[in-house]
Amino acid sequence: MILDISSYNGVIDWNTVTKKNQIDRVILRATTKNGKLDTKFLANYKALKALKVPIDIYKFSYATDAQSAFSECDNVIFEMERNKIEFDMLWLDIENDGALRWTKKRAFDVICGYMACLRLDYTTLGIYCNLDYYKSVIPEPFKTKLPLWIARWTSG
């Protein structure tokens, strides 16, 4: 089981969660819109490291072009380095942000901005989106070159 976690999930008793479930990996929200660490990030990170649970991070992107994406990614990496955070993969969450719709061009520019910041490191960047965004927004070259985490929800 892979979990994506942010401050919206509240305080988590990781000892209980890991005893009751086979947790293969946890993906933590790195920073908020203002560029600060998610308020529960460090507590979750420390608990998961102590339990030896593999950790990835994700960034819900507010970038609108390659330049703002580069800056946004640079801030995430700065916060991770400043706090001595080790992670396997940075997942770029590109979904709808209110009235600001994602287009193929915006997705292309933002992904390229992140890749430039990471120096085109395909091994540390993945794309998170829902199935509709995968079909209609993710540019074709990235569908085969980058890891994809496609959100799918079921009811019940």
Side-chain angles (χ1 to χ4, degrees), residues 31-146:
T31 60
T32 59
K33 186 174 185 175
N34 67 7
K36 305 280 189 215
L37 280 181
D38 179 287
T39 59
K40 302 287 189 240
F41 183 90
L42 289 175
N44 286 325
Y45 178 81
K46 289 174 185 174
L48 292 164
K49 285 301 273 188
L51 293 166
K52 296 182 176 21
V53 175
I55 300 168
D56 289 347
I57 61 172
Y58 77 91
K59 173 61 182 172
F60 185 95
S61 182
Y62 296 92
T64 56
D65 55 29
Q67 183 176 352
S68 61
F70 186 100
S71 296
E72 187 178 75
C73 182
D74 189 52
N75 179 71
V76 169
I77 298 305
F78 170 79
E79 287 294 332
M80 296 303 108
E81 289 175 352
R82 183 171 73 86
N83 289 284
K84 297 179 177 31
I85 302 301
E86 298 173 357
F87 62 94
D88 296 324
M89 177 81 66
L90 167 56
W91 292 95
L92 175 58
D93 183 347
I94 58 172
E95 293 186 285
N96 188 21
D97 180 26
L100 187 58
R101 299 285 311 169
W102 283 89
T103 63
K104 279 189 186 272
K105 177 167 182 357
R106 179 180 175 202
F108 183 85
D109 291 347
V110 168
I111 294 167
C112 286
Y114 267 74
M115 290 174 63
C117 181
L118 296 169
R119 296 185 176 90
L120 300 174
D121 189 346
Y122 290 105
T123 63
T124 58
L125 180 66
I127 304 300
Y128 169 85
C129 63
N130 61 49
L131 187 58
D132 178 56
Y133 274 55
Y134 171 78
K135 291 177 179 177
S136 62
V137 174
I138 304 300
E140 290 303 319
F142 299 123
K143 289 181 179 179
T144 57
K145 294 193 183 283
L146 293 173

Side-chain angles (χ1 to χ4, degrees), residues 1 3 5-23 26 28 40 43-51 53:
M1 178 184 319
L3 304 174
I5 301 294
S6 74
S7 59
Y8 294 111
N9 298 105
V11 176
I12 299 170
D13 177 353
W14 287 108
N15 287 315
T16 301
V17 171
T18 56
K19 284 179 185 169
K20 290 184 177 182
N21 303 281
Q22 173 60 45
I23 307 298
V26 174
L28 298 174
K40 302 287 189 240
N44 286 325
Y45 178 81
K46 289 174 185 174
L48 292 164
K49 285 301 273 188
L51 293 166
V53 175

